[in-house]
Amino acid sequence: MEVKIGVQYAPREIVLESGQSVEEVERLVSEALTGKTQLLSLQDEKGRKVLVPTDRLAYVEIGEPTVRKVGFGTL
């Protein structure tokens, strides 16, 4: 699924494709915003971690799980 993270004082948002479930991403964001952790840590599909300080979070947008299409069908 696609996750977009807005960071204060940054000109662009962070966009990553995550293999984590929607519920897991929501839980991690919630823990970061309630002060349980000082960093929001998400992992993308290639195993790379994205760390964002919670005091710099502007927004987090969680997209729908992506379905990969195979073939030459029309859209």
Side-chain angles (χ1 to χ4, degrees):
M1 95 179 101
E2 184 178 74
V3 179
K4 293 181 183 179
I5 304 170
V7 182
Q8 294 177 2
Y9 311 116
R12 295 178 48 187
E13 61 192 9
I14 299 170
V15 180
L16 65 115
E17 287 290 327
S18 177
Q20 296 170 302
S21 68
V22 173
E23 294 80 17
E24 186 177 0
V25 173
E26 283 183 39
R27 180 183 55 79
L28 291 170
V29 171
S30 177
E31 287 176 0
L33 293 176
T34 57
K36 291 183 181 178
T37 61
Q38 293 185 355
L39 288 174
L40 172 62
S41 174
L42 297 175
Q43 189 169 3
D44 71 0
E45 289 182 338
K46 296 180 181 179
R48 296 177 292 200
K49 283 195 173 188
V50 175
L51 303 171
V52 181
T54 56
D55 62 340
R56 298 289 184 220
L57 282 176
Y59 64 89
V60 177
E61 182 180 317
I62 303 170
E64 293 293 321
T66 55
V67 178
R68 301 196 187 273
K69 295 182 181 182
V70 177
F72 295 99
T74 58
L75 299 176

Coordinates of all heavy atoms in Angstrom, one line a residue:
M1 N 0.8 -1.2 0.0 CA 0.0 0.0 0.0 C 0.9 1.2 0.0 O 2.0 1.2 0.4 CB -0.9 0.0 1.2 CG -0.4 0.7 2.4 SD -1.4 0.7 3.8 CE -0.6 -0.5 4.7
E2 N 0.3 2.3 -0.5 CA 1.1 3.6 -0.5 C 0.9 4.4 0.7 O -0.3 4.5 1.2 CB 0.6 4.4 -1.7 CG 1.4 5.6 -1.9 CD 1.0 6.4 -3.2 OE1 -0.1 7.0 -3.1 OE2 1.7 6.4 -4.1
V3 N 2.0 4.9 1.3 CA 1.9 5.7 2.5 C 2.6 7.1 2.1 O 3.7 7.1 1.6 CB 2.6 5.1 3.7 CG1 2.6 6.0 4.9 CG2 2.0 3.7 4.0
K4 N 1.9 8.2 2.4 CA 2.5 9.5 2.2 C 2.6 10.2 3.5 O 1.7 10.2 4.3 CB 1.6 10.4 1.3 CG 1.5 9.9 -0.1 CD 0.6 10.8 -0.9 CE 0.5 10.2 -2.4 NZ -0.4 11.1 -3.2
I5 N 3.8 10.7 3.8 CA 4.1 11.4 5.1 C 4.5 12.8 4.8 O 5.5 13.1 4.1 CB 5.2 10.6 5.8 CG1 4.9 9.2 6.0 CG2 5.5 11.3 7.2 CD1 6.0 8.3 6.5
G6 N 3.8 13.7 5.4 CA 4.1 15.1 5.3 C 5.0 15.5 6.5 O 4.7 15.2 7.6
V7 N 6.1 16.2 6.2 CA 7.0 16.6 7.3 C 7.1 18.1 7.3 O 7.2 18.7 6.3 CB 8.4 16.0 7.0 CG1 9.4 16.3 8.1 CG2 8.3 14.5 6.8
Q8 N 7.0 18.7 8.5 CA 7.1 20.1 8.7 C 8.4 20.6 8.2 O 9.5 20.0 8.4 CB 6.9 20.5 10.1 CG 5.5 20.2 10.7 CD 5.5 20.5 12.2 OE1 6.4 21.0 12.8 NE2 4.3 20.3 12.8
Y9 N 8.4 21.8 7.5 CA 9.6 22.4 7.0 C 10.3 21.7 5.9 O 11.5 21.9 5.6 CB 10.6 22.8 8.2 CG 9.9 23.4 9.3 CD1 9.9 22.8 10.6 CD2 9.3 24.7 9.2 CE1 9.3 23.4 11.7 CE2 8.7 25.3 10.3 CZ 8.7 24.6 11.5 OH 8.1 25.2 12.6
A10 N 9.7 20.7 5.3 CA 10.2 19.9 4.2 C 9.4 20.3 3.0 O 8.2 20.3 3.0 CB 10.2 18.4 4.5
P11 N 10.0 20.6 1.9 CA 9.3 21.0 0.7 C 8.5 19.9 0.0 O 7.5 20.1 -0.7 CB 10.4 21.5 -0.3 CG 11.6 20.8 0.2 CD 11.5 20.6 1.6
R12 N 8.9 18.6 0.2 CA 8.2 17.5 -0.4 C 7.8 16.5 0.6 O 8.4 16.3 1.7 CB 9.2 16.8 -1.4 CG 9.5 17.7 -2.6 CD 10.5 17.0 -3.5 NE 10.0 15.7 -3.9 CZ 10.8 14.9 -4.6 NH1 12.0 15.2 -5.0 NH2 10.3 13.7 -4.9
E13 N 6.7 15.7 0.3 CA 6.3 14.6 1.2 C 7.1 13.4 0.9 O 7.7 13.2 -0.2 CB 4.8 14.4 1.0 CG 4.4 13.9 -0.4 CD 3.0 13.9 -0.7 OE1 2.2 14.5 0.2 OE2 2.5 13.4 -1.7
I14 N 7.1 12.5 1.9 CA 7.8 11.2 1.7 C 6.7 10.2 1.2 O 5.7 10.1 1.8 CB 8.4 10.7 3.1 CG1 9.4 11.7 3.6 CG2 9.0 9.3 2.9 CD1 9.9 11.4 5.0
V15 N 7.0 9.5 0.2 CA 6.1 8.5 -0.4 C 6.8 7.2 -0.4 O 7.9 7.1 -0.9 CB 5.6 8.9 -1.8 CG1 4.7 7.9 -2.4 CG2 5.0 10.3 -1.8
L16 N 6.1 6.1 0.1 CA 6.7 4.8 0.1 C 5.6 3.8 -0.1 O 4.5 4.0 0.3 CB 7.5 4.5 1.4 CG 6.8 4.5 2.7 CD1 6.8 3.1 3.3 CD2 7.4 5.5 3.7
E17 N 6.0 2.7 -0.7 CA 5.2 1.5 -0.8 C 5.5 0.5 0.3 O 6.7 0.1 0.4 CB 5.4 0.8 -2.2 CG 4.9 1.5 -3.4 CD 3.4 1.5 -3.4 OE1 2.7 0.6 -3.0 OE2 2.8 2.5 -3.9
S18 N 4.6 0.3 1.2 CA 4.8 -0.5 2.4 C 4.1 -1.9 2.2 O 3.0 -1.9 1.8 CB 4.3 0.2 3.6 OG 4.5 -0.6 4.7
G19 N 4.7 -2.9 2.7 CA 4.1 -4.2 2.8 C 3.4 -4.4 4.1 O 2.8 -5.5 4.3
Q20 N 3.5 -3.4 5.0 CA 2.8 -3.5 6.3 C 1.3 -3.4 6.1 O 0.8 -2.8 5.1 CB 3.3 -2.5 7.3 CG 4.8 -2.7 7.6 CD 5.3 -1.5 8.4 OE1 5.3 -0.4 7.9 NE2 5.9 -1.7 9.5
S21 N 0.5 -3.9 7.0 CA -1.0 -3.8 6.9 C -1.4 -2.4 7.3 O -0.7 -1.7 8.0 CB -1.6 -4.9 7.8 OG -1.4 -4.5 9.2
V22 N -2.6 -2.1 6.9 CA -3.2 -0.8 7.2 C -3.3 -0.6 8.7 O -3.0 0.4 9.3 CB -4.6 -0.6 6.6 CG1 -5.3 0.6 7.0 CG2 -4.5 -0.7 5.1
E23 N -3.7 -1.7 9.4 CA -3.9 -1.6 10.9 C -2.5 -1.4 11.6 O -2.4 -0.7 12.5 CB -4.5 -2.9 11.4 CG -5.9 -3.1 11.0 CD -6.1 -3.7 9.5 OE1 -5.1 -4.2 9.0 OE2 -7.2 -3.6 9.0
E24 N -1.5 -2.1 11.0 CA -0.2 -1.9 11.6 C 0.4 -0.5 11.5 O 0.9 0.1 12.4 CB 0.8 -2.9 11.0 CG 2.2 -2.9 11.7 CD 3.1 -4.0 11.1 OE1 2.7 -4.7 10.2 OE2 4.2 -4.0 11.6
V25 N 0.2 0.1 10.3 CA 0.6 1.5 10.0 C -0.2 2.4 10.9 O 0.4 3.3 11.5 CB 0.5 1.8 8.5 CG1 0.8 3.3 8.3 CG2 1.4 1.0 7.7
E26 N -1.5 2.2 11.0 CA -2.3 3.1 11.9 C -1.8 3.0 13.3 O -1.7 4.0 14.0 CB -3.8 2.7 11.8 CG -4.5 3.1 10.6 CD -5.9 2.8 10.6 OE1 -6.6 2.8 11.7 OE2 -6.5 2.4 9.6
R27 N -1.5 1.8 13.8 CA -1.0 1.6 15.2 C 0.3 2.4 15.4 O 0.5 3.1 16.4 CB -0.9 0.1 15.5 CG -0.4 -0.1 16.9 CD -0.2 -1.6 17.2 NE 0.7 -2.2 16.2 CZ 2.1 -2.2 16.3 NH1 2.6 -1.5 17.3 NH2 2.8 -2.8 15.4
L28 N 1.2 2.2 14.5 CA 2.5 2.9 14.6 C 2.4 4.4 14.6 O 3.0 5.1 15.4 CB 3.5 2.5 13.5 CG 3.9 1.0 13.5 CD1 4.6 0.6 12.2 CD2 4.8 0.8 14.7
V29 N 1.5 5.0 13.7 CA 1.3 6.4 13.7 C 0.6 6.9 15.0 O 1.0 7.9 15.5 CB 0.4 6.8 12.4 CG1 0.0 8.2 12.5 CG2 1.2 6.5 11.2
S30 N -0.4 6.1 15.5 CA -1.0 6.5 16.7 C -0.1 6.5 17.9 O -0.1 7.4 18.7 CB -2.2 5.5 17.0 OG -2.8 5.8 18.2
E31 N 0.8 5.5 18.0 CA 1.8 5.4 19.0 C 2.7 6.6 19.0 O 3.1 7.2 20.0 CB 2.6 4.1 19.0 CG 1.8 2.9 19.4 CD 2.6 1.6 19.3 OE1 3.8 1.7 18.8 OE2 2.0 0.6 19.7
A32 N 3.1 7.0 17.7 CA 4.0 8.1 17.6 C 3.3 9.4 18.0 O 3.9 10.3 18.7 CB 4.5 8.2 16.1
L33 N 2.1 9.6 17.6 CA 1.4 10.9 17.9 C 1.0 11.0 19.4 O 0.8 12.1 19.9 CB 0.1 11.0 17.0 CG 0.5 11.2 15.6 CD1 -0.8 11.3 14.7 CD2 1.3 12.5 15.3
T34 N 0.8 9.9 20.1 CA 0.4 9.9 21.5 C 1.6 10.0 22.4 O 1.5 10.2 23.6 CB -0.4 8.7 21.9 OG1 0.3 7.5 21.6 CG2 -1.7 8.7 21.2
G35 N 2.8 10.0 21.8 CA 4.0 10.2 22.6 C 4.7 8.9 23.1 O 5.6 9.0 23.9
K36 N 4.2 7.7 22.7 CA 4.8 6.5 23.2 C 6.2 6.3 22.6 O 7.0 5.6 23.2 CB 3.9 5.3 22.8 CG 2.6 5.3 23.6 CD 1.8 4.0 23.3 CE 0.5 4.0 24.1 NZ -0.3 2.9 23.8
T37 N 6.4 6.8 21.4 CA 7.7 6.7 20.7 C 8.1 8.1 20.2 O 7.2 9.0 20.0 CB 7.7 5.8 19.5 OG1 6.8 6.2 18.5 CG2 7.3 4.4 19.9
Q38 N 9.4 8.4 20.0 CA 9.8 9.7 19.5 C 10.1 9.7 18.0 O 10.3 10.7 17.4 CB 11.1 10.1 20.2 CG 10.8 10.4 21.7 CD 12.1 10.9 22.4 OE1 13.1 11.0 21.8 NE2 11.9 11.3 23.6
L39 N 10.0 8.5 17.4 CA 10.2 8.3 16.0 C 9.1 7.5 15.4 O 8.7 6.5 15.9 CB 11.5 7.6 15.6 CG 12.8 8.4 15.9 CD1 14.0 7.5 15.7 CD2 12.9 9.6 15.0
L40 N 8.6 7.9 14.2 CA 7.7 7.1 13.4 C 8.6 6.2 12.5 O 9.4 6.8 11.7 CB 6.8 7.9 12.6 CG 5.9 7.1 11.6 CD1 5.0 6.1 12.3 CD2 5.1 8.1 10.7
S41 N 8.5 4.9 12.6 CA 9.4 4.0 11.9 C 8.5 3.1 11.0 O 7.7 2.4 11.5 CB 10.2 3.2 12.8 OG 10.9 2.2 12.1
L42 N 8.7 3.3 9.7 CA 7.9 2.4 8.7 C 8.9 1.8 7.8 O 10.0 2.3 7.5 CB 7.0 3.3 7.9 CG 5.9 4.0 8.6 CD1 5.1 4.9 7.7 CD2 5.0 3.0 9.3
Q43 N 8.6 0.6 7.3 CA 9.4 -0.2 6.4 C 8.8 -0.3 5.1 O 7.6 -0.6 5.0 CB 9.7 -1.5 7.0 CG 10.8 -2.3 6.3 CD 11.2 -3.6 7.1 OE1 10.6 -3.9 8.1 NE2 12.1 -4.3 6.5
D44 N 9.6 -0.1 4.0 CA 9.0 -0.2 2.6 C 9.1 -1.6 2.2 O 9.6 -2.5 2.9 CB 9.6 0.8 1.7 CG 11.1 0.5 1.3 OD1 11.6 -0.5 1.8 OD2 11.7 1.2 0.5
E45 N 8.7 -1.9 0.9 CA 8.6 -3.3 0.4 C 10.0 -3.8 0.2 O 10.2 -5.0 0.1 CB 7.8 -3.3 -0.9 CG 6.4 -3.1 -0.7 CD 5.6 -3.2 -2.0 OE1 6.2 -3.0 -3.1 OE2 4.4 -3.5 -1.9
K46 N 11.0 -3.0 0.0 CA 12.4 -3.4 -0.2 C 13.2 -3.6 1.1 O 14.4 -3.9 1.0 CB 13.1 -2.5 -1.1 CG 12.5 -2.4 -2.5 CD 13.2 -1.5 -3.4 CE 12.5 -1.4 -4.8 NZ 13.2 -0.5 -5.7
G47 N 12.5 -3.4 2.2 CA 13.2 -3.6 3.5 C 13.9 -2.4 4.1 O 14.5 -2.4 5.1
R48 N 13.8 -1.2 3.4 CA 14.4 0.0 3.9 C 13.5 0.6 4.9 O 12.2 0.5 4.8 CB 14.6 1.0 2.8 CG 15.6 0.5 1.7 CD 15.8 1.4 0.6 NE 14.5 1.4 -0.2 CZ 14.4 1.9 -1.4 NH1 15.4 2.4 -2.0 NH2 13.2 1.8 -2.0
K49 N 14.0 1.2 5.9 CA 13.3 1.9 7.0 C 13.3 3.4 6.8 O 14.3 4.0 6.4 CB 13.8 1.6 8.4 CG 13.5 0.2 8.9 CD 13.7 0.1 10.3 CE 13.2 -1.2 10.8 NZ 13.2 -1.3 12.3
V50 N 12.1 4.0 7.1 CA 12.0 5.4 7.0 C 11.7 5.9 8.5 O 10.7 5.4 9.1 CB 10.8 5.9 6.1 CG1 10.6 7.4 6.2 CG2 11.1 5.4 4.7
L51 N 12.5 6.8 9.0 CA 12.3 7.3 10.3 C 12.0 8.7 10.3 O 12.8 9.5 9.7 CB 13.6 7.0 11.2 CG 14.1 5.6 11.2 CD1 15.5 5.5 11.9 CD2 13.1 4.7 12.0
V52 N 10.9 9.1 11.0 CA 10.5 10.5 11.0 C 10.3 10.9 12.5 O 9.6 10.3 13.2 CB 9.2 10.8 10.2 CG1 8.9 12.3 10.2 CG2 9.4 10.3 8.8
P53 N 10.9 12.0 12.9 CA 10.7 12.5 14.3 C 9.2 12.9 14.5 O 8.7 13.5 13.6 CB 11.6 13.7 14.5 CG 12.6 13.6 13.3 CD 11.9 12.8 12.2
T54 N 8.6 12.4 15.5 CA 7.2 12.7 15.7 C 6.8 14.1 15.8 O 5.7 14.5 15.5 CB 6.6 11.9 16.9 OG1 7.4 12.3 18.1 CG2 6.7 10.4 16.7
D55 N 7.7 14.9 16.3 CA 7.4 16.4 16.5 C 7.4 17.1 15.2 O 7.1 18.3 15.1 CB 8.3 17.0 17.5 CG 9.8 17.0 17.1 OD1 10.2 16.1 16.2 OD2 10.6 17.8 17.6
R56 N 7.9 16.4 14.1 CA 7.9 17.0 12.7 C 6.8 16.5 11.8 O 6.8 16.9 10.7 CB 9.3 16.8 12.1 CG 10.4 17.4 12.8 CD 10.4 18.9 12.7 NE 11.6 19.5 13.4 CZ 11.5 20.6 14.1 NH1 10.4 21.2 14.2 NH2 12.6 21.0 14.6
L57 N 6.0 15.6 12.3 CA 4.9 15.0 11.5 C 3.9 16.1 11.2 O 3.4 16.7 12.1 CB 4.3 13.9 12.1 CG 5.0 12.5 12.1 CD1 4.2 11.5 12.9 CD2 5.2 12.1 10.7
A58 N 3.5 16.3 9.9 CA 2.4 17.2 9.5 C 1.2 16.3 9.3 O 0.1 16.7 9.7 CB 2.8 18.0 8.3
Y59 N 1.3 15.3 8.5 CA 0.2 14.4 8.2 C 0.7 13.0 7.7 O 1.9 12.9 7.3 CB -0.8 15.0 7.2 CG -0.1 15.2 5.8 CD1 -0.2 14.2 4.9 CD2 0.5 16.4 5.5 CE1 0.4 14.3 3.6 CE2 1.1 16.6 4.2 CZ 1.0 15.5 3.3 OH 1.6 15.7 2.1
V60 N -0.1 12.0 7.8 CA 0.2 10.7 7.2 C -1.1 10.2 6.5 O -2.2 10.2 7.0 CB 0.5 9.7 8.3 CG1 0.7 8.3 7.7 CG2 1.7 10.1 9.1
E61 N -0.9 9.9 5.2 CA -2.0 9.5 4.3 C -1.7 8.0 4.0 O -0.7 7.7 3.5 CB -2.0 10.3 3.1 CG -3.1 10.0 2.1 CD -3.1 10.9 0.9 OE1 -2.9 12.1 1.0 OE2 -3.2 10.3 -0.2
I62 N -2.7 7.2 4.3 CA -2.6 5.8 4.1 C -3.5 5.4 3.0 O -4.7 5.6 3.0 CB -3.0 4.9 5.4 CG1 -2.1 5.4 6.5 CG2 -2.8 3.5 5.1 CD1 -2.5 4.8 7.9
G63 N -2.9 4.8 1.9 CA -3.7 4.5 0.7 C -4.2 3.1 0.7 O -3.9 2.3 1.7
E64 N -4.9 2.7 -0.3 CA -5.4 1.4 -0.4 C -4.3 0.4 -0.8 O -3.4 0.8 -1.5 CB -6.5 1.3 -1.5 CG -7.8 2.1 -1.1 CD -8.5 1.5 0.1 OE1 -8.6 0.2 0.1 OE2 -9.0 2.2 0.9
P65 N -4.5 -0.9 -0.4 CA -3.5 -1.8 -0.9 C -3.5 -1.9 -2.4 O -4.5 -1.8 -3.1 CB -4.0 -3.2 -0.3 CG -4.9 -2.8 0.8 CD -5.4 -1.4 0.5
T66 N -2.3 -1.9 -3.0 CA -2.1 -1.9 -4.4 C -2.3 -3.3 -5.0 O -1.7 -4.2 -4.4 CB -0.8 -1.3 -4.9 OG1 0.2 -2.0 -4.2 CG2 -0.7 0.2 -4.5
V67 N -3.0 -3.4 -6.1 CA -3.2 -4.7 -6.8 C -2.3 -4.6 -8.0 O -2.5 -3.7 -8.9 CB -4.6 -5.0 -7.1 CG1 -4.8 -6.3 -7.8 CG2 -5.5 -5.0 -5.8
R68 N -1.4 -5.5 -8.2 CA -0.5 -5.5 -9.3 C -1.2 -6.2 -10.5 O -1.6 -7.3 -10.4 CB 0.8 -6.1 -9.0 CG 1.5 -5.4 -7.9 CD 2.9 -5.8 -7.8 NE 3.6 -5.3 -6.7 CZ 4.1 -4.1 -6.6 NH1 4.1 -3.3 -7.7 NH2 4.7 -3.7 -5.5
K69 N -1.3 -5.5 -11.6 CA -2.0 -6.1 -12.8 C -0.9 -6.7 -13.7 O 0.2 -6.1 -13.9 CB -2.8 -5.1 -13.5 CG -4.0 -4.6 -12.7 CD -4.8 -3.6 -13.5 CE -6.0 -3.1 -12.6 NZ -6.8 -2.2 -13.3
V70 N -1.2 -7.8 -14.3 CA -0.3 -8.4 -15.2 C -1.0 -8.7 -16.5 O -2.1 -9.1 -16.6 CB 0.2 -9.8 -14.6 CG1 1.1 -10.5 -15.6 CG2 0.9 -9.6 -13.3
G71 N -0.3 -8.4 -17.6 CA -0.9 -8.6 -18.9 C -1.1 -7.4 -19.7 O -0.6 -6.3 -19.4
F72 N -1.8 -7.5 -20.9 CA -2.0 -6.4 -21.8 C -3.4 -6.0 -21.9 O -3.9 -5.6 -22.9 CB -1.5 -6.8 -23.2 CG 0.0 -7.1 -23.2 CD1 0.5 -8.3 -23.1 CD2 0.9 -6.0 -23.3 CE1 1.9 -8.6 -23.2 CE2 2.3 -6.2 -23.3 CZ 2.8 -7.5 -23.2
G73 N -4.2 -6.2 -20.8 CA -5.6 -5.8 -20.8 C -5.8 -4.3 -20.9 O -4.9 -3.5 -20.7
T74 N -7.0 -3.9 -21.3 CA -7.3 -2.4 -21.4 C -7.7 -2.0 -20.0 O -8.2 -2.7 -19.2 CB -8.4 -2.2 -22.4 OG1 -9.6 -2.9 -22.0 CG2 -8.0 -2.6 -23.8
L75 N -7.5 -0.7 -19.8 CA -7.8 -0.1 -18.5 C -9.2 0.4 -18.4 O -9.8 1.0 -19.0 CB -6.8 1.0 -18.1 CG -5.3 0.5 -18.0 CD1 -4.4 1.7 -17.8 CD2 -5.2 -0.5 -16.9

